[in-house]
Amino acid sequence: MAGAGLLASLMGASPVASLQVTVDSLRSTKGELRVCLTADPRNFPACVDDARAVTRTVPAAERGLRFEGLPPGHYAVAVIHDANGNAKLDTFMGIPKEGFGFSRNPAIGFGPPKFTAAAFDLGAEGSVQPVKMRYLL
């Protein structure tokens, strides 16, 4: 995987760990899962301005994915169920119309959780992060 090597060189460490993200409680298998993995609290959960973030899109029917070649560190995962495949989280008056979820499944109040609520340590032994999807509308 060329992407894993690039990620390792960007993060300045040898790739040694893997992360399995499993997704539960999907409303349907339509569309895609958009997954963002970041170690930068300032860019969680969107990963928009994080050059080191790793984003993946997989068919929702797969219900998860695996990241390989990650350096150990402190990460957080955000998942969007893009049911209509338009590459964004659709909202109505600021309330998500599509499913979303985060590593460690933190409580959701107004707005997304803070990085610290979703963050986990990834060691050389790897990790599995189950993400429970939530739907508000």
Side-chain angles (χ1 to χ4, degrees):
M1 265 194 198
L6 176 60
L7 173 65
S9 67
L10 288 173
M11 299 187 93
S14 299
V16 294
S18 64
L19 171 64
Q20 180 72 37
V21 176
T22 60
V23 178
D24 299 316
S25 303
L26 278 173
R27 194 178 272 173
S28 75
T29 56
K30 289 173 146 180
E32 304 166 328
L33 296 176
R34 297 190 176 281
V35 183
C36 165
L37 172 68
T38 184
D40 184 354
R42 295 168 301 177
N43 285 298
F44 179 78
C47 297
V48 175
D49 295 324
D50 184 357
R52 296 182 178 177
V54 181
T55 58
R56 299 278 189 276
T57 301
V58 297
E62 289 186 19
R63 297 187 182 267
L65 68 144
R66 186 173 190 85
F67 294 94
E68 297 283 352
L70 298 170
H74 200 61
Y75 295 93
V77 172
V79 180
I80 295 171
H81 180 197
D82 183 13
N84 60 6
N86 67 349
K88 66 179 185 170
L89 178 65
D90 295 324
T91 61
F92 176 74
M93 295 178 58
I95 300 170
K97 291 171 45 179
E98 296 177 301
F100 60 90
F102 306 97
S103 47
R104 294 189 46 219
N105 298 302
I108 302 297
F110 293 101
K114 300 229 180 268
F115 178 86
T116 54
F120 60 93
D121 289 318
L122 178 66
E125 69 282 357
S127 179
V128 175
Q129 286 295 314
V131 173
K132 181 178 178 184
M133 297 305 292
R134 298 168 193 201
Y135 297 85
L136 301 179
L137 296 178

